[in-house]
Amino acid sequence: MANAKITNATLLADGTRLAQMISLEINRLLTDTANLRNSPYLSYAGSINGIGSDTIAVRKYGLGGRTSFKSATSENSDEAANFEDVDASSVNIQVARQYLIRNISDLASMAGYGSQDLNPFILASDMAASYETRFAELTSDAADSFTTIKGAATSDFTVDLFFEAISALHTADSNLGADGPYCLVMHPVALNQLQDSLRNETGNAVSMMSATADMLAVKGKGFIGNLFGVDIFRSSHVNDAAGAYFNYMLSPNAIGFADGVPTSLPSAVDFMTMGKILVEMQRDGTAASTQIIGHGYLGFNIVDQNKGLLVKSST
C-alpha cells in the first residue's frame, strides 16, 4: 500500500470534510428602518381601536392669533354686526391593513442551528423592524402629495435649493410662515449632492460654519445632523419618479398618522403583540410548515399643506 499524506483536499474528496461551514451568527442584509415616528415632526391622530370607524378626522381651527383685532368706528359705535367667524376645516386619516407573511418548513427549522438560525420565533421577532420600514415608506408616500414644490428633475440638490425650501416655509400661508423647527428627509443620492455643494462653498459664512463640517462627516442612516437650524434625515425610502427624487421638508403637524392594533385573534393558536403590530403563527400540518403573519394597521395624510413641501432633485 502506497504511503498517502492526509490532506484537507483528500478528506473533502472522501466526504469526511465539509466544503464550507456556516457561521453561527445570522448576518443580516442591509436595511433602513429609520423613520420620523418618534419625532416632533409627525402628528399622531390616535388609534382607531374602539372608536367605531376606520377613519379619524383631524380638526383645524384658525386660532392662536390668526385673526386680529379691529379699530372701532367710534368710542360708542355698535360693532355687533362685525363679528369674525373662526376658520374651521378637517382632514381625514383612514387606517388600512399592512401585513407581512413568512413561511418556513419544519425541516428547515429542524436542520438549522437552533436559536442561531432561521426559525419561526426569529422570524416573528423580526416583524417589528419590518413595520418600521413600512412606516418610513408610507410617510414618504404621504409627502408626495405636497402641492408646494421646489427643485426639479434637471437639477442637483444644492445649497441654493436648500435655502429656497426654507424660504418657501418662511413665506407659506400668505407670508404667515410655518412655525419651526424644520426637518428635511433626503434620499442618499440627494444628500451626496448637498454635501458636494457644501464642499464647493468657499470664502463665505456657509463654509465657516461648524454645522457645515458636521454635515460632511460620515454617518449612518436616519438623523444626519442639523444644518442652518434644519434637522437632516437620510432615508432610502424617499420616492422617485420621472428622473426626480421627492425629498421633503416639514415643520411640525404637516403630516399626521393614525393606527390600530388587533386586541385578539379568535381561534389563533399562538399570537403576540409587539408594540404597534400583532404577530401570529399558523400551522399548515399537511404541508409540514408554519406561517408567521404580521398584522399592522396604519394610515397617513397631509394635515396642513402650508407646513411642508417637496424638494425635487435629479436622480
Side-chain angles (χ1 to χ4, degrees), residues 28 31-35 37 100 102 122-137 237 274 277 279:
R28 290 172 169 80
T31 61
D32 186 0
T33 61
N35 59 53
R37 182 157 71 97
L100 177 62
R102 307 275 197 188
I122 289 288
L123 294 175
S125 64
D126 190 61
M127 291 282 179
S130 295
Y131 176 81
E132 299 298 338
T133 298
R134 185 58 175 162
F135 193 99
E137 292 173 345
H237 304 298
M274 303 170 62
I277 64 172
V279 181

Side-chain angles (χ1 to χ4, degrees), residues 99-232:
Y99 72 93
L100 177 62
I101 301 174
R102 307 275 197 188
N103 196 315
I104 186 169
S105 71
D106 293 349
L107 184 58
S109 296
M110 284 187 293
Y113 293 101
S115 62
Q116 299 298 320
D117 207 341
L118 293 179
N119 60 60
F121 299 100
I122 289 288
L123 294 175
S125 64
D126 190 61
M127 291 282 179
S130 295
Y131 176 81
E132 299 298 338
T133 298
R134 185 58 175 162
F135 193 99
E137 292 173 345
L138 292 178
T139 305
S140 292
D141 289 347
D144 289 354
S145 298
F146 280 126
T147 54
T148 301
I149 301 173
K150 296 296 179 181
T154 55
S155 59
D156 287 352
F157 204 115
T158 63
V159 173
D160 287 342
L161 179 57
F162 184 86
F163 281 114
E164 284 183 36
I166 294 175
S167 177
L169 289 182
H170 283 170
T171 58
D173 199 4
S174 301
N175 293 315
L176 289 176
D179 293 332
Y182 298 162
C183 81
L184 174 63
V185 181
M186 306 183 70
H187 190 276
V189 171
L191 177 61
N192 289 340
Q193 293 171 352
L194 177 59
Q195 289 174 326
D196 186 58
S197 180
L198 286 168
R199 283 192 293 268
N200 291 328
E201 294 286 330
T202 58
N204 57 26
V206 173
S207 62
M208 302 298 180
M209 292 180 61
S210 60
T212 298
D214 185 59
M215 278 296 299
L216 298 178
V218 177
K219 298 184 179 68
K221 303 175 183 67
F223 180 68
I224 297 299
N226 185 284
L227 184 64
F228 311 116
V230 178
D231 286 338
I232 310 295

Side-chain angles (χ1 to χ4, degrees), residues 33-51:
T33 61
N35 59 53
L36 300 178
R37 182 157 71 97
N38 295 317
S39 77
Y41 299 106
L42 297 185
S43 174
Y44 179 52
S47 170
I48 62 169
N49 284 45
I51 69 170

